[in-house]
Amino acid sequence: MTLRVTDLEISRGGRAVLEGVNFELAPGSALIVRGPNGVGKTTLLRTIAGLQPAQSGEISGAMDAMAYAGHSDGLKSMLTVDENLSFWAAVFGRTDIEAAVEAFDLRDLRDRMAGTLSAGQKRRLGLARLMVTGRPIWVLDEPTVSLDAASVGLFAAAVRAHLRQGGSALMATHIDLGLEEAAVLDLSAFRASPRAAQSDEAFL
């Protein structure tokens, strides 16, 4: 399934930050979103994931095909690693967690409570959730935060495997993941022109 973004305008705090954003993300492809701090990377990804409304423009591609991972790891601290993954798998009507455990090297942590994990271990578990959703479009905001070099390698390998299986990935990151096949979208070219404040964005 192809994700298409057409002439998208988005706002933050009631003021437009990006306008005229256009791109396509086809199955088997990755797109890395770049730009300086504050340009609107997180706001763009949240809008695409359906967490806030766009000011105008169109996002096509079924919303139920997306899995979003933001700054929060989305973990239940009093559940074990296995229980967290099984919980999220069940939310998406699935049961298999083994591939996610292997991909993110969680074997020795399976019985640990999520709340006792280090920041990097929590991040690996949070990213492993993507694999148990079964959804083809991954939308990822700074996915490598708290990861060491070895864990970044695990994540990059998981993304490559996802692409080979016909999935796609839209990622905001400053880290070089070694994904030579990934295209880059620099949001600096889509900064909105100054204008009066718009809606109060009650949804944020």
Side-chain angles (χ1 to χ4, degrees), residues 133-192:
T133 67
R135 293 195 165 185
I137 303 173
W138 290 359
V139 180
L140 312 171
D141 190 6
E142 297 293 349
T144 60
V145 170
S146 300
L147 295 183
D148 58 20
S151 297
V152 170
L154 292 176
F155 169 70
V159 172
R160 288 192 190 95
H162 182 63
L163 300 183
R164 286 196 300 270
Q165 294 164 5
S168 58
L170 175 65
M171 300 175 283
T173 179
H174 297 286
I175 300 296
D176 181 4
L177 298 173
L179 298 172
E180 294 81 5
E181 65 271 38
V184 174
L185 178 70
D186 188 343
L187 294 186
S188 299
F190 301 101
R191 288 181 188 268

Side-chain angles (χ1 to χ4, degrees), residues 84-119:
N84 266 281
L85 290 177
S86 294
F87 169 83
W88 283 108
V91 167
F92 292 94
R94 299 166 64 86
T95 58
D96 184 22
I97 66 171
E98 296 305 316
V101 169
E102 290 298 318
F104 286 92
D105 193 21
L106 299 171
R107 293 180 301 276
D108 295 337
L109 302 173
R110 301 183 73 138
D111 296 326
R112 289 267 303 275
M113 294 288 187
T116 69
L117 301 177
S118 70

Side-chain angles (χ1 to χ4, degrees), residues 24-163:
E24 288 191 2
L25 182 66
S29 64
L31 180 63
I32 296 177
V33 179
R34 293 269 168 81
N37 291 340
V39 75
K41 298 185 294 295
T42 293
T43 306
L44 173 65
L45 296 187
R46 284 176 53 84
T47 302
I48 289 171
L51 299 178
Q52 69 179 68
Q55 291 296 125
S56 62
E58 182 179 0
I59 302 168
S60 60
M63 298 304 296
D64 60 6
M66 295 184 198
Y68 174 75
H71 294 164
S72 171
D73 294 317
L75 306 177
K76 296 186 176 296
S77 63
M78 298 306 294
L79 296 183
T80 67
V81 166
D82 265 16
E83 288 169 341
N84 266 281
L85 290 177
S86 294
F87 169 83
W88 283 108
V91 167
F92 292 94
R94 299 166 64 86
T95 58
D96 184 22
I97 66 171
E98 296 305 316
V101 169
E102 290 298 318
F104 286 92
D105 193 21
L106 299 171
R107 293 180 301 276
D108 295 337
L109 302 173
R110 301 183 73 138
D111 296 326
R112 289 267 303 275
M113 294 288 187
T116 69
L117 301 177
S118 70
Q121 290 168 339
K122 288 177 181 177
R123 194 58 172 171
R124 276 162 41 209
L125 176 56
L127 292 171
R129 292 184 305 124
L130 295 166
M131 295 184 64
V132 305
T133 67
R135 293 195 165 185
I137 303 173
W138 290 359
V139 180
L140 312 171
D141 190 6
E142 297 293 349
T144 60
V145 170
S146 300
L147 295 183
D148 58 20
S151 297
V152 170
L154 292 176
F155 169 70
V159 172
R160 288 192 190 95
H162 182 63
L163 300 183

Side-chain angles (χ1 to χ4, degrees), residues 10-16 53-55 196-204:
I10 60 174
S11 60
R12 180 178 60 231
R15 193 170 295 277
Q55 291 296 125
Q198 300 177 27
S199 71
D200 290 331
E201 291 191 18
F203 292 104
L204 295 183

